[in-house]
Structure formats: structure tokens, C-alpha cells
Amino acid sequence: MKQCSGYPEGPETVKLTDEEADLIFSIMRDLSGEFDHSEVRRRVGQKMLDLLKADYFASYVWDDDRQQFVSCVQINMTDDNLRRYEGYFQFHDPITPTLQKRKKATPVSEVMRHDRLVKTEFFNDFLKQDGLCYGLNFFAYDRGDNIGDLRIWRGSNREDFTPRDAQIVDAVGPSLVNALIRARTAQVQMPSLRFAQIAGDLGFTVREAEVADLLVTGLTDDEICGKLGFSKPTLRSHIAAIFRKSGLNRRTQLAQFLAEKNHHL
């Protein structure tokens, strides 16, 4: 593979292939965009999977008042398994509390040897259920507050993450922090109503509200299916229900409906 000039800068400069450099520049472009907090994490997560040849991604935000992780964004993980994490396993997690204290990207095997991890309940009853085997985590901080994280995992058919992988993630880290701060600030200053907030008023299910919120962003059906792990027939079924329940029949009308609701907040 052709290699380009060294990037990112660090104690030892990492030599990137052209493909890796292109992905990093693409991530940086996304991080300079005007995306909300969840979308920032989702976009970075998808490209990190490509960049690091990984298979699974999850991202949370730490809620200090509740002492738990909230606001999940996931790629290639099942909702049922993530609910088990949120309801039980995050409180019986032998690795994340240690990783969370680190201010740099860290392979999971640096805080617990893999031969020990595979013997834990956390691995066998949570990670293994979705096929997760080798992990690397990065926690973004702003003034001491954990404002979002990246949890990147490979399956058992791959190899563990390396210090080089961690250095690449660390190079992206400062831009990710700035993007999350910008997204959080925009949300505080200019609150924007989502279908998820008024799902009960419209009779939407949680999934229908999630689909409706993506429809108004202008994403294609393929992009929405990729984000939510749906087949196109399943997506079309959700869209039909959204239009039936809302009394609307076009995506542009959904966007206008939200705009009018926001105007009256």
C-alpha cells in the first residue's frame, strides 16, 4: 500500500496509507460541520470503523447526576443487548470505569488482559452476544466533564488494537472534543424540537420517531437504513406509519411541521 507523509504528529510519527489519510481528512471535515451531538458521534463512529478495520461502535455521554451513561449512539450492535448494558452491565463493567479516567485512546487489553476479560460475565453475557472481542475506547472531556466517548470494537476474527491505532484516534480527539462542545453549546442556545420529544402526542413509537427525525435531515433511504440497521421494507413500513399517524404525506411536510412547532416554542 502506498504511504503518505507522516500524520498525526506524536512522539513517533505515524505513516498513513492514502486510504487512511483520506478517511482522517473526511472525519475532520465532518467535525467542522454543523451537526448535532448524536450525529457528530455517529459520523465519526462510522468512519472510525472503516479507518481502524473494526466492526462495532457505541458511544455514550456520562450523566454525572445520575452516575450512568446515557444518550447511546450505536453501529452494528443490537438494541436488546444495549438495553442490557444500560440497565445492568454498565454497573458491572470491569473495564470502562478505568478507561474513562484516561485522557487518551486506550486499547481495552491495556487495562485488562484479554485472557482475563474473556472469563468475565461482562464479556460472555454482554460483549460476546453481539460478537465484540477486542476494544479501544476514547473519552472526550471538556473542563473535566465527560461529554462523549468512542467505543470501537473488533470481532474475534480480527486482531487486537495496537498503540498505532490508539495514536490515530488520539490525533482526531481534539477536533472531536471541539465539535461536541460546539454541538452542545448550539443545543443549549438554540433548542430544536425533535419528533422524539413529541412522539407521544403523535402516537409514534420510539423507532418511528427516530426515523422521522432522520427523514427531515434529508438523508437517503440507504443512509437511514445504514444508520438504524433496517432493511428497506422495514423502513418503508415505518415511513408509512409516520405519514398515517401525522396526517402528512411528504418528507418536506414533516420538516415544515417541526419548523412550525419550533417557531412557537
Side-chain angles (χ1 to χ4, degrees), residues 134-200:
Y134 304 108
L136 183 151
N137 285 14
F138 174 83
F139 290 84
Y141 282 88
D142 174 35
R143 299 175 184 176
D145 295 330
N146 176 201
I147 58 172
D149 59 46
L150 307 178
R151 308 182 189 196
I152 305 160
W153 288 82
R154 290 172 175 162
S156 59
N157 61 323
R158 299 188 188 269
E159 296 183 351
D160 197 359
F161 290 97
T162 65
R164 177 183 186 273
D165 296 324
Q167 191 174 357
I168 289 172
V169 176
D170 276 335
V172 175
S175 295
L176 173 64
V177 170
N178 289 336
L180 292 177
I181 291 171
R182 190 168 62 251
R184 188 172 63 170
T185 301
Q187 184 176 4
V188 170
Q189 292 177 343
M190 296 179 292
S192 181
L193 189 67
R194 301 297 186 88
F195 280 109
Q197 296 171 265
I198 56 174

Side-chain angles (χ1 to χ4, degrees), residues 6-261:
Y7 179 91
E9 294 298 330
E12 296 180 3
T13 300
V14 175
K15 296 294 184 181
L16 299 176
T17 66
D18 287 344
E19 179 185 9
E20 289 172 332
D22 287 344
L23 282 166
I24 287 180
F25 289 132
S26 180
I27 290 171
M28 292 303 189
R29 283 195 297 271
D30 280 348
L31 291 177
S32 66
E34 297 300 324
F35 301 110
D36 68 29
H37 201 282
S38 294
E39 185 64 12
V40 169
R41 291 180 287 142
R42 191 187 305 277
R43 284 174 175 264
V44 172
Q46 184 61 67
K47 289 176 182 177
M48 279 293 180
L49 293 185
D50 295 335
L51 178 62
L52 299 176
K53 302 295 189 291
D55 308 290
Y56 309 95
F57 174 81
S59 175
Y60 287 89
V61 177
W62 176 252
D63 186 320
D64 202 46
D65 292 334
R66 294 159 61 183
Q67 288 292 293
Q68 66 185 78
F69 290 105
V70 298
S71 187
C72 179
V73 170
Q74 63 87 12
I75 300 170
N76 297 333
M77 298 183 68
T78 60
D79 290 340
D80 286 347
N81 206 30
L82 286 167
R83 279 194 288 269
R84 282 194 288 271
Y85 177 80
E86 290 160 11
Y88 176 80
F89 282 107
Q90 71 164 302
F91 307 111
H92 301 79
D93 182 338
I95 55 173
T96 305
T98 301
L99 291 163
Q100 188 185 12
K101 295 175 184 176
R102 299 201 170 194
K103 302 300 170 84
K104 63 179 183 177
T106 305
V108 169
S109 55
E110 282 192 18
V111 301
M112 177 176 282
R113 282 183 2 205
H114 189 70
D115 61 348
R116 289 183 53 210
L117 178 64
V118 298
K119 297 176 182 177
T120 65
E121 175 192 37
F122 183 75
F123 182 87
N124 288 286
D125 293 344
F126 169 59
L127 295 176
K128 191 176 179 181
Q129 297 306 305
D130 269 340
L132 286 68
C133 189
Y134 304 108
L136 183 151
N137 285 14
F138 174 83
F139 290 84
Y141 282 88
D142 174 35
R143 299 175 184 176
D145 295 330
N146 176 201
I147 58 172
D149 59 46
L150 307 178
R151 308 182 189 196
I152 305 160
W153 288 82
R154 290 172 175 162
S156 59
N157 61 323
R158 299 188 188 269
E159 296 183 351
D160 197 359
F161 290 97
T162 65
R164 177 183 186 273
D165 296 324
Q167 191 174 357
I168 289 172
V169 176
D170 276 335
V172 175
S175 295
L176 173 64
V177 170
N178 289 336
L180 292 177
I181 291 171
R182 190 168 62 251
R184 188 172 63 170
T185 301
Q187 184 176 4
V188 170
Q189 292 177 343
M190 296 179 292
S192 181
L193 189 67
R194 301 297 186 88
F195 280 109
Q197 296 171 265
I198 56 174
D201 295 340
L202 296 169
F204 287 178
T205 65
V206 172
R207 273 304 199 189
E208 287 164 359
E210 190 174 20
V211 169
D213 280 326
L214 290 177
L215 289 174
V216 300
T217 66
L219 294 179
T220 66
D221 286 357
D222 285 338
E223 289 171 329
I224 294 174
C225 287
K227 287 180 180 296
L228 301 181
F230 287 165
S231 66
K232 281 192 175 179
T234 298
L235 176 61
R236 284 194 286 267
S237 177
H238 283 307
I239 292 173
I242 289 166
F243 287 152
R244 185 181 70 254
K245 293 177 180 180
S246 67
L248 306 173
N249 54 34
R250 292 199 304 273
R251 301 182 190 203
T252 54
Q253 290 180 339
L254 288 171
Q256 182 62 30
F257 177 85
L258 271 192
E260 291 174 359
K261 287 282 188 182

